[in-house]
Amino acid sequence: GDLVQSATGVVQFDVDMAGAIADRLDIEGNSTLNGRLEVNLATPAVARIREFTLLSSQGPASGAGVAFNTPGLPPALQAELLGAGTASLRLRLRPDFSLNGTALSANRSAVAEHLNAVVSAGPDQGMQHLLDRLVVLPTAASVQAALQRLQPEPLLTLAPATWRSGMRFNNVLHS
């Protein structure tokens, strides 16, 4: 049959990023979408690019469109609705450690872009574990604090002190 969602209608979809599955509506006829579409994460987010088909119809899709809402989505995870007005409505979830254009310092921005590149390249298991922990941080401030801790700058101040300490130890051993 057909699906007609009014301007006051709400359709909710649950998404399991870890299992790569989501609720899905398969319409045998036409679809008319208005109102609101909400996506809820059923499991904690993972730092992988995932795409889910939420709705597919055999007939043409029409309507003024839907307002897209993702309550509870962590700030480092971006959601994009694809295929609006077509027979296949898809959701793309992708980590974005640059926080979708939030003003970051140059160093934090560089770390964020490197992390995004690692996600795109497909990280090894150890790195995936770290990225999964970062993507679920609940606030933009906590993501920024994590980016600050991942910068190499604090480690650079340790290098000269460690070198001097090693030299003093070496001198004591050889004196």
Side-chain angles (χ1 to χ4, degrees):
D2 294 342
L3 170 72
V4 177
Q5 180 182 343
S6 71
T8 58
V10 177
V11 176
Q12 293 183 334
F13 292 92
D14 290 329
V15 173
D16 176 355
M17 283 193 75
I21 56 173
D23 292 340
R24 178 179 173 147
L25 287 173
D26 290 315
I27 314 304
E28 292 182 7
N30 303 329
S31 61
T32 303
L33 295 176
N34 297 296
R36 194 170 72 231
L37 182 142
E38 291 186 354
V39 173
N40 303 303
L41 291 179
T43 59
V46 294
R48 292 181 186 90
I49 299 169
R50 297 274 199 236
E51 194 169 306
F52 305 94
T53 298
L54 301 178
L55 184 141
S56 67
S57 62
Q58 292 179 0
S62 64
V66 292
F68 182 48
N69 190 17
T70 54
L73 199 66
L77 189 64
Q78 299 301 312
E80 182 181 7
L81 200 57
L82 307 169
T86 69
S88 179
L89 189 62
R90 297 175 323 281
L91 170 71
R92 179 180 296 146
L93 295 171
R94 67 175 175 80
D96 181 6
F97 295 104
S98 63
L99 302 175
N100 200 24
T102 300
L104 297 173
S105 69
N107 287 342
R108 288 180 189 171
S109 182
V111 170
E113 290 308 317
H114 284 292
L115 292 173
N116 288 341
V118 169
V119 169
S120 294
D124 65 17
Q125 187 176 12
M127 190 66 176
Q128 185 66 55
H129 183 72
L130 169 70
L131 294 170
D132 288 346
R133 297 294 176 261
L134 292 174
V135 79
V136 296
L137 291 173
T139 64
S142 60
V143 174
Q144 289 184 18
L147 293 173
Q148 176 69 28
R149 286 189 295 272
L150 290 171
Q151 292 181 72
E153 187 177 342
L155 299 174
L156 294 175
T157 60
L158 292 176
T162 303
W163 180 80
R164 282 191 296 275
S165 176
M167 288 301 292
R168 282 192 294 266
F169 180 73
N170 188 36
N171 290 339
V172 168
L173 286 176
H174 290 95
S175 60

